[in-house]
Amino acid sequence: MSSEKVTLKKTKKMDGLGWIEWLRGLSNVLQEMFFQRVMASHLHNPFPLPPLNHLTCIVTGSTSGIGSETARQLAEAGAHVVMAVRNTRAGHELIQQWQTKWSASGKGLPLNIQVMELDLLSLDSVVRFSNAWNARLAPLHVLINNAGMFAMGGAQRFSKDGYEQHLQVNHLAPALLSLLLLPSLIRASQSRIINVNSVIHYLGFVDPNDLNLVAGKRKFSSLRGYSSSKLAQVMFNNVLFKKLPLETGISVVCLSPGVVQTNVTRDLPRLIQDIYSALPYFIYSPQEGCRSSLFSATASQIPNYCEKLKTNHKSVCAYISQNCQPTNPSEEARNIETSNKVWEKTIELIGLPLDAVEMLIEGEEVQCRYGI
Ligand SMILES: NC(=O)c1ccc[n+]([C@@H]2O[C@H](COP(=O)([O-])OP(=O)(O)OC[C@H]3O[C@@H](n4cnc5c(N)ncnc54)[C@H](OP(=O)(O)O)[C@@H]3O)[C@@H](O)[C@H]2O)c1
């Protein structure tokens, strides 16, 4: 084959997903949208939780939607919950409402829940949050990277750190948070990093040399920004999962919550929002949409499942479907070569040394370019 042909083929691939892969991805998205309720008919709602008094959990983005339900239900099961949110006032108001209802129900002691500030649009804020948390020298059992954004139909916007906002909120900031909290996660004998991902990652395509979508090879759309950020999240976690030795006891999971009625649709035109909310049979309530998060955070089989993936030398982290079943992420998400490149690029963008994980596992201090 001539070198010209090779270049042409590569360019085509770098331009994005082929039509066939894209249509296959779309069929997965539609299947989730229209058949999720049938597929999850075996699940109870609310998801039954055992007593969780032994767990400390951080839930990011817990002021609305899936995150708020997740935080409330974990706290009602006895866990110590930290709501990591950018709008701390909204967080405090929610806690007040939940405490009032909880004490009126006479079910037990007040909920053990608190608020800490975390704005994922600022990597400085992520470092500040992690430093404050690690300074407690307490074990962290579950980190739920739930916060996310989908500015549907919006123009391309950048954070003050210079990164495309979907990329930063949905991938870079949670990646930095997961790594910086490793010392606290290691302190718990068994812990979990749970990433609320999306079936829409099937429509994503990541060019590791253009994570920020500025090279102009592909025109920006909010769907492209969102789907690519969710795909990058799976790829990054594939490598994180491999890098964490079994002895750390840390499980890494990505999951799909399903298609859920939340504030995620707030940027849609009114008419489409009305159509969306007129589909209650198909769309989950937040209580239904948080089941795969609660399952991933608490089910006893998760550590064994992750261990099995590791000992079988599988190179992808666990992926849990909206109906709480282990499943495979998209074919593109399982591309090991691209996953490694996404890892390296991500580490560079979040300002950490390439051997940050190894250093943190050894108990060494790691300098981040942010938060100084
Ligand atoms: N709803 C769905 O159908 C669906 C489907 C697949 C995946 N997901 C994923 O599920 C997760 C939860 O979303 P949701 O549907 O529950 O949406 P939501 O109701 O809009 O909740 C998103 C949460 O993330 C927080 N957040 C957004 N930007 C943030 C930032 N810069 N820093 C800190 N927190 C920030 C929001 O805080 P504010 O209240 O301050 O904005 C809010 O608490 C997201 O990762 C989303 O991608 C949702």
Side-chain angles (χ1 to χ4, degrees):
M1 199 186 281
S2 76
S3 65
E4 199 180 307
K5 272 190 185 159
V6 174
T7 318
L8 206 78
K9 206 169 161 207
K10 270 194 183 152
T11 314
K12 243 184 169 178
K13 185 73 185 158
M14 294 309 280
D15 254 9
L17 285 180
W19 272 106
I20 295 186
E21 288 126 305
W22 197 84
L23 286 173
R24 208 180 290 145
L26 183 65
S27 100
N28 275 287
V29 175
L30 293 175
Q31 193 183 336
E32 182 138 315
M33 186 153 190
F34 292 111
F35 299 108
Q36 59 180 6
R37 214 171 267 288
V38 177
M39 292 190 278
S41 56
H42 62 287
L43 292 180
H44 292 282
N45 183 39
F47 187 82
L49 289 172
L52 299 175
N53 305 60
H54 57 296
L55 293 186
T56 294
C57 313
I58 293 177
V59 187
T60 70
S62 34
T63 42
S64 81
I66 299 163
S68 139
E69 269 300 314
T70 307
R72 184 182 60 77
Q73 291 190 43
L74 288 171
E76 288 186 0
H80 170 213
V81 175
V82 175
M83 298 170 72
V85 300
R86 62 176 165 177
N87 183 348
T88 50
R89 193 168 154 190
H92 287 297
E93 280 169 12
L94 277 173
I95 292 181
Q96 209 162 25
Q97 285 169 28
W98 295 340
Q99 294 285 20
T100 308
K101 269 199 187 157
W102 185 248
S103 61
S105 73
K107 285 188 186 153
L109 294 169
L111 305 176
N112 186 3
I113 185 162
Q114 65 177 116
V115 171
M116 277 177 77
E117 187 176 342
L118 172 67
D119 182 357
L120 299 177
L121 276 172
S122 155
L123 294 177
D124 284 340
S125 170
V126 176
V127 177
R128 272 197 303 273
F129 177 93
S130 311
N131 287 344
W133 180 270
N134 287 333
R136 297 179 180 197
L137 300 178
L140 171 62
H141 302 94
V142 183
L143 165 64
I144 306 187
N145 284 314
N146 164 83
M149 63 167 285
F150 188 178
M152 288 190 206
Q156 187 169 23
R157 293 175 64 190
F158 295 87
S159 69
K160 74 173 178 57
D161 301 313
Y163 301 129
E164 193 281 312
Q165 289 196 357
H166 293 92
L167 177 76
Q168 173 145 348
V169 173
N170 300 339
H171 168 51
L172 295 179
L176 181 59
L177 186 66
S178 301
L179 297 194
L180 293 181
L181 288 177
L182 282 177
S184 296
L185 289 157
I186 291 171
R187 215 167 271 129
S189 58
Q190 280 213 327
S191 57
R192 307 178 190 200
I193 299 173
I194 310 294
N195 300 287
V196 182
N197 198 259
S198 169
V199 70
I200 292 189
H201 83 269
Y202 269 86
L203 300 179
F205 180 81
V206 174
D207 175 353
N209 295 319
D210 184 29
L211 284 185
N212 220 14
L213 293 168
V214 286
K217 286 189 214 159
R218 293 176 297 145
K219 196 168 171 291
F220 177 83
S221 71
S222 53
L223 178 61
R224 187 161 280 161
Y226 182 76
S227 57
S228 304
S229 65
K230 291 291 186 185
L231 176 60
Q233 182 178 56
V234 182
M235 290 176 155
F236 177 85
N237 281 284
N238 287 340
V239 182
L240 176 59
F241 155 77
K242 266 202 310 192
K243 279 185 180 280
L244 291 172
L246 273 178
E247 307 81 68
T248 61
I250 304 176
S251 303
V252 180
V253 178
C254 290
L255 65 90
S256 165
V259 182
V260 192
Q261 177 75 55
T262 64
N263 278 343
V264 86
T265 54
R266 66 184 142 199
D267 293 321
L268 281 174
R270 187 76 243 163
L271 176 68
I272 302 183
Q273 279 194 45
D274 290 346
I275 296 173
Y276 206 72
S277 25
L279 293 170
Y281 179 76
F282 297 106
I283 312 280
Y284 279 166
S285 65
Q287 195 179 62
E288 292 168 308
C290 73
R291 292 180 297 190
S292 52
S293 292
L294 293 175
F295 172 82
S296 303
T298 64
S300 57
Q301 58 268 47
I302 290 288
N304 283 345
Y305 177 58
C306 291
E307 195 176 320
K308 227 192 241 165
L309 287 176
K310 198 166 276 185
T311 43
N312 289 348
H313 301 292
K314 294 274 186 230
S315 296
V316 283
C317 75
Y319 201 100
I320 299 296
S321 63
Q322 55 79 23
N323 58 344
C324 304
Q325 299 293 324
T327 186
N328 281 324
S330 70
E331 203 179 318
E332 188 63 20
R334 287 175 274 150
N335 183 327
I336 301 312
E337 203 188 322
T338 314
S339 294
N340 287 330
K341 287 185 186 158
V342 167
W343 170 272
E344 283 180 18
K345 197 69 200 178
T346 301
I347 296 288
E348 181 193 321
L349 296 182
I350 60 181
L352 289 178
L354 204 51
D355 56 351
V357 171
E358 291 76 5
M359 289 172 72
L360 288 162
I361 291 171
E362 288 300 318
E364 291 173 37
E365 210 170 292
V366 163
Q367 289 300 323
C368 178
R369 191 167 71 233
Y370 294 94
I372 296 167

